[in-house]
Amino acid sequence: MPDIRSQYSDRHHFFGRTTPGALAGEFGTPLYVYNENILRQRCREILGLSGLPGFFPCYSTKANGNPGLLRIIRSEGLRADAMSPGEITLLRAAGFSRDEICYVCNNVSEEELAFAGENSFLVSVDSVAQIEAFGRVHPGGEIMVRLNPGIGAGHHQKVITAGRNTKFGVVPEDFEAMIAALSRHNLTLAGLNQHVGSLFLDPSPYLDAAAWLLETARRFLPLKVLDFGGGFGIPYHKYDAEARLDLAETGRRLDALLSAWVGETGFSGRLIVEPGRYVVAESSILLGRVHAVKNNGPTRYVGTDVGFNTLIRPAMYDSFHDMEIYSADSSPRPPLPQTVVGNICETGDILAKDRLLPEIRTGDLLGLLDAGAYGYSMSSPYTQRLRPAEVLIRADGSARLIRRRETVEDLLRLVAD
Ligand code: LLP
């Protein structure tokens, strides 16, 4: 099948020995397609951030919790962070041991804190109230506390998780109250963590915040864990050759900070980073089918089966996902501004607005790039549409189903008579 716009996936042999058309024919659309080689490559890049013996990268499961991918990530040597009992369950199903899971939660029940304490090597809470709750279920235990370094970063206000405008972390003014709560429950402060936000391409805020945590931690030594959080960004504008985060340079600077501090303090515990997006985003292309094209005034609407129930990032954060076009019809396709939309009953159900792309026609397949992080994991059954299937293109180029499409029976399963 000649492809109208596919240089990116061609260059990366993304679809292995198969094609978008064959995958759509066998598994239907919408369909999340993952590439094992790309996933492994990204894991290795993260592992290369620091050579310190205590360096302990934990993949952030919230980005994508498919056990088929988690097994690959673990086999590359990453450990994991979880934030819900469901994520712990998927991690355990994928082979992660208790000692390989770190739990970073906020505003949860005592029941959940009890479960998390039994199923992870350390639980992080982010308020004095949650220290008290943890103390009631694990008196005399070890705990990690999430601090707010006052420095935030991220691609949208909604994902900046440090500084004043966020619910996260214990601020320095509350350190005395934190220490008092720890001692009331005879808890040992075993770790400190933070997460400044999601998606930076300039590492400076992350490194400034890391320096802040290292400095702050001196006051609380001895500790077993220091966790600097995630946020490592990827370039979404693939067809505009957007520059990548310079991970080698980021690693050199991070490693220098950590090495100096370890040298001064003699720290021998775990130094954690928690990348989610960086590990999985680029390993997936989301395939969708065009079912209708029409003009409404000056706007050409391209109607697809990828609603915001399947990929919510554009509707929720105005996020940009680059787009490929695959078609059997190879007649000339002049570039046109087009608005690509889904099949949900809301005007905000938009994947791309007035985007200049080769003319898209009914029957074409579209590929939304960089869909691996916060794609399937944020999908929903809104309007009772079925969640899509997920397929992995293995290292040998063959395709394997790693999650079947939902069925209407699945919708009925939870309903009481
Ligand atoms: N650690 C903690 C405590 C987090 O809250 C997060 C993400 C991460 C690590 C991983 O961050 P990453 O490396 O993936 O940036 N749904 C949004 C992103 C929300 C991120 C939430 N927390 C999106 O689609 O852009």
Side-chain angles (χ1 to χ4, degrees), residues 60 62-63 81 104 146 155 159 195 197-199 229-232 274-277 313 317 374 378:
S60 198
K62 56 185 77 63
D81 95 63
V104 181
R146 176 168 177 171
H155 67 83
V159 299
H195 171 70
S198 194
L199 204 163
F232 303 85
E274 292 176 350
R277 185 191 315 274
R313 300 193 70 258
Y317 315 109
Y374 309 107
M378 293 180 80

Side-chain angles (χ1 to χ4, degrees), residues 54 190 221-226 261-271:
L221 291 172
L223 293 167
K224 292 182 175 174
V225 171
L226 274 186
W261 189 82
V262 166
E264 281 165 39
T265 59
F267 179 81
S268 61
R270 292 178 176 178
L271 295 160

